[in-house]
Amino acid sequence: MSYKILTAEFLHETNTFSRIETDAQAFHDCYFLTAAEAISERGERNTELAGFLDCGKKYGWQIDHVLSAAAGPSGKITAAAFDWLAEPIVSAARDQHYDGILLGLHGAMVTDFCEDGEGELLQRLRAVTGDKLPIAITLDLHANVSRKMCALANIIVSFKTYPHIDMRETGAHAGAILQRSLQGEIRPRTIHAACPMLEEVNGARTDSGPMIEWIRAARRWEQRDDVFAVSINGGFASADIAEVGPTVLVTGQGDMEAHRAFAKSLAAEIWRHRHDVLNDYLDVNAAAAIAAGFVADKGPLIIADYADNPGAGSYGDSTNLLRALLEAGVTGACLGPLVDGETVQQLLQHQPGEIVQIKLGGKMDPGFGGGPLDLPVELISLSDGHYVGGGAMIGGLSRSFGPTAVIRVAGIELLITTVAQQLLDLQQFRCFGIEPLSRRVVAVKSMQHFRADFEPIADRVIVCDSGALCTPNYKQLTYTRVARPIFPLDAELDDPAMPLPG
Ligand SMILES: [Zn+2]
């Protein structure tokens, strides 16, 4: 029998501290693809959709893909943009008969009218499908997962890697569980255990530290006959919402109390390690001092500007690291991106080779990451910002920084972009004429994803906190909605010996 499956991808990681509202244009700036466009662009890449389509082929499904849309992490989604994307998914589910629904979501979506965007979408879907229809969703490892999401989706599978390189595998995993449900073989539901923390203390790194063993334990529990997926979500801390933080999910059946006890035991481990930070967050001057004296034997020094990562909703226009590198006289360096569309528009009035006086960056919120720098710069090149990724995360996928300029100031080449995007793929430099391998120092606005493509070429990697919006020092932010007490905001939870509350 051929099952008819509705699929869609609708992803946003909402940084509620960002001043930039997320409207329809923000989705167009990242991607908004109709069914045919999505299948052509994403169907054979490392995406959730590719995993859904793999299942479609394997199980002989008839797939109706509604749309694929994502905006770069930014502020709350407007009601108009949410309705614009949710409505076609919900009306498809209402107007036609489907045997199951399979959605690629992020799990940290906040709109200007509700804190739980994914819960809202699932609720609208359940209103037209009823309770019986199996719904499977995939989530990012940085999902904030609500009780509502677990109650409304039968099947939840999150990525197990950070840097995220298992999108297709995760999509196929969720699809395989859905297939078994459709055949009446299993009746899964999802339970959840949470920790009163803003996020897993290492942002859910899976390349080093305790998460490696926790993921192994999750894989082992998945081997049980009555367990179909175990997901460990690191949470997303830049969200001032009630249900923020790390969660452990079990999608299973049978003895749900045993699954709950297992989920709680992993949550307790996350809690127990809450002080064990893997990154050494240097201040920008310490990072610049290392860069100034660095001898690139085996490749460049990579400096990650953790706090100004556009991939977590920071503006990407923080100037603190650049200022420190300039003051330290660092040469043979490149930095990207520095997001400043206004400056790109100014540079578009000039020719490559000209020296232009600019006021660079620091315009969105100078209180986080430093104000604008007045600089004479040499214009190297101008472009439309389009590139195609080459690494494990976005290989083969087309993206655009919008109007983009490359400039040189002292010994540093800068990629100045209009659209804020995390720097995580070598092609994001190379497509604009900057070769990271021939640089002594490469500074990237990224927390962890850069490691997938840049660590193999690096002599050394250091991480700094520039004080920008995604600073790991959460006490710089004003949280009003999160449930208190919460780690690390409240001193009463600091005692390392304290067991997981609840
Ligand atoms: Zn993520």
Side-chain angles (χ1 to χ4, degrees):
M1 153 165 198
S2 172
Y3 297 115
K4 192 170 164 190
I5 309 296
L6 183 156
T7 64
E9 295 175 297
F10 178 14
L11 299 107
H12 193 245
E13 184 181 63
T14 307
N15 183 323
T16 64
F17 297 100
S18 170
R19 294 177 173 183
I20 303 173
E21 68 171 18
T22 303
D23 56 10
Q25 185 58 44
F27 285 90
H28 285 296
D29 283 347
C30 189
Y31 60 85
F32 168 74
L33 303 166
T34 60
E37 291 166 344
I39 289 165
S40 150
E41 165 75 8
R42 299 172 60 77
E44 283 300 328
R45 305 298 176 191
N46 189 1
T47 65
E48 296 91 316
L49 175 59
F52 300 164
L53 296 175
D54 290 341
C55 288
K57 281 190 206 108
K58 188 169 173 186
Y59 305 124
W61 290 346
Q62 182 194 332
I63 288 184
D64 279 356
H65 186 66
V66 180
L67 56 83
S68 290
S74 47
K76 292 175 187 173
I77 301 181
T78 64
F82 181 84
D83 290 343
W84 165 59
L85 295 166
E87 175 53 27
I89 303 170
V90 175
S91 53
R94 180 180 50 227
D95 297 345
Q96 297 207 41
H97 168 78
Y98 289 99
D99 298 298
I101 294 178
L102 189 46
L103 302 175
L105 307 175
H106 185 292
M109 185 188 290
V110 181
T111 73
D112 61 14
F113 64 94
C114 101
E115 283 189 359
D116 178 9
E118 287 85 0
E120 174 73 17
L121 174 65
L122 289 165
Q123 186 175 320
R124 291 186 189 185
L125 276 169
R126 282 293 182 206
V128 300
T129 66
D131 298 338
K132 299 278 184 296
L133 189 80
I135 297 182
I137 64 174
T138 61
L139 297 176
D140 190 280
L141 185 74
H142 297 103
N144 288 322
V145 183
S146 66
R147 284 168 188 81
K148 186 174 177 179
M149 288 163 65
C150 295
L152 295 174
N154 308 80
I155 298 160
I156 304 183
V157 187
S158 304
F159 307 155
K160 285 185 170 69
T161 58
Y162 183 32
H164 306 328
I165 52 168
D166 61 339
M167 286 73 84
R168 187 171 189 162
E169 199 181 319
T170 303
H173 185 175
I177 304 170
L178 180 62
Q179 170 70 8
R180 293 179 67 190
S181 309
L182 297 173
Q183 291 176 310
E185 188 191 324
I186 59 172
R187 296 185 57 143
R189 61 192 186 92
T190 298
I191 56 96
H192 122 312
C195 303
M197 302 166 65
L198 288 174
E199 69 173 350
E200 193 276 326
V201 74
N202 291 303
R205 282 183 72 164
T206 59
D207 60 331
S208 81
M211 187 63 97
I212 294 171
E213 184 43 46
W214 300 335
I215 295 283
R216 278 200 201 108
R219 293 274 189 210
R220 282 196 298 272
W221 200 256
E222 283 177 346
Q223 299 310 307
R224 288 172 58 115
D225 287 345
D226 54 358
V227 176
F228 315 115
V230 177
S231 299
I232 305 173
N233 300 289
F236 181 60
S238 298
D240 185 17
I241 57 172
E243 291 185 85
V244 70
T247 50
V248 180
L249 313 180
V250 178
T251 294
Q253 64 184 21
D255 186 356
M256 295 309 282
E257 279 317 303
H259 304 331
R260 201 179 299 278
F262 172 77
K264 277 196 170 163
S265 72
L266 272 186
E269 282 298 295
I270 293 172
W271 176 255
R272 196 165 69 79
H273 283 268
R274 68 193 181 284
H275 289 284
D276 303 346
V277 180
L278 294 171
N279 280 330
D280 187 8
Y281 296 104
L282 304 170
D283 68 40
V284 291
N285 295 321
I290 292 170
F294 186 72
V295 179
D297 282 334
K298 300 188 294 264
L301 169 74
I302 310 292
I303 307 176
D305 186 346
Y306 187 98
D308 199 29
N309 171 26
S314 202
Y315 303 115
D317 79 338
S318 162
T319 52
N320 276 348
L321 177 60
L322 174 61
R323 181 186 43 72
L325 293 172
L326 289 169
E327 284 171 6
V330 173
T331 57
C334 63
L335 182 151
L338 210 140
V339 183
D340 186 344
E342 198 179 303
T343 292
V344 176
Q345 290 305 313
Q346 180 193 351
L347 291 166
L348 281 167
Q349 311 306 313
H350 296 270
Q351 300 296 321
E354 284 184 43
I355 304 295
V356 186
Q357 186 69 33
I358 62 171
K359 208 175 201 40
L360 182 61
K363 290 162 188 160
M364 288 306 304
D365 189 352
F368 287 94
L373 301 180
D374 283 303
L375 296 168
V377 303
E378 180 189 351
L379 177 60
I380 307 290
S381 65
L382 292 162
S383 76
D384 65 3
H386 178 262
Y387 64 91
V388 176
M393 292 190 66
I394 57 166
L397 293 170
S398 294
R399 296 284 161 83
S400 178
F401 281 121
T404 291
V406 176
I407 60 174
R408 186 182 293 124
V409 52
I412 305 173
E413 266 186 312
L414 296 166
L415 185 68
I416 313 297
T417 74
T418 300
V419 174
Q421 284 177 9
Q422 178 166 199
L423 204 306
L424 49 72
D425 190 296
L426 289 163
Q427 290 302 112
Q428 289 172 303
F429 279 127
R430 286 178 173 156
C431 288
F432 306 100
I434 300 172
E435 174 49 60
L437 274 174
S438 67
R439 296 293 179 275
R440 210 169 53 79
V441 175
V442 176
V444 295
K445 303 221 178 217
S446 175
M447 290 171 170
Q448 167 76 0
H449 281 322
F450 71 96
R451 291 182 193 271
D453 221 18
F454 285 82
E455 222 161 36
I457 69 152
D459 184 322
R460 182 177 175 194
V461 172
I462 58 174
V463 179
C464 79
D465 174 10
S466 60
L469 197 63
C470 294
T471 172
N473 181 7
Y474 302 121
K475 290 175 183 168
Q476 286 185 31
L477 300 163
T478 307
Y479 286 88
T480 61
R481 302 276 311 151
V482 299
R484 306 300 281 259
I486 196 163
F487 181 83
L489 300 181
D490 297 309
E492 65 213 83
L493 301 183
D494 278 351
D495 177 4
M498 173 188 262
L500 176 66

